[in-house]
Amino acid sequence: MHKEYPEGNKVPDALYRQAIALLEIGKQKGEQKQYTSAAREVLQRILDEYPRSERAQEARKQLEKLGR
């Protein structure tokens, strides 16, 4: 998806939703450390690859909540 539509505005949204889902799965499974780490990577990817997207600010806030 990323390669076909690199400027697509849906990619940052999909990545953000993936990160939130990872955090939720971690809570449900009691394996927060692993899932939080994966979510952090996805959130950082939003900031690195889509810094001007609408989701970038939300990703930054989530990273701050997670303690970067």
Side-chain angles (χ1 to χ4, degrees), residues 12-24:
D13 189 55
L15 290 170
Y16 184 80
R17 290 174 189 268
Q18 178 186 22
I20 298 305
L22 286 165
L23 292 171
E24 189 58 38

Side-chain angles (χ1 to χ4, degrees), residues 22-43:
L22 286 165
L23 292 171
E24 189 58 38
I25 292 168
K27 284 181 195 174
Q28 290 177 6
K29 287 189 161 197
E31 299 175 12
Q32 290 169 306
K33 189 174 183 179
Q34 279 181 304
Y35 285 89
T36 298
S37 177
R40 256 194 207 104
E41 289 180 27
V42 174
L43 292 167

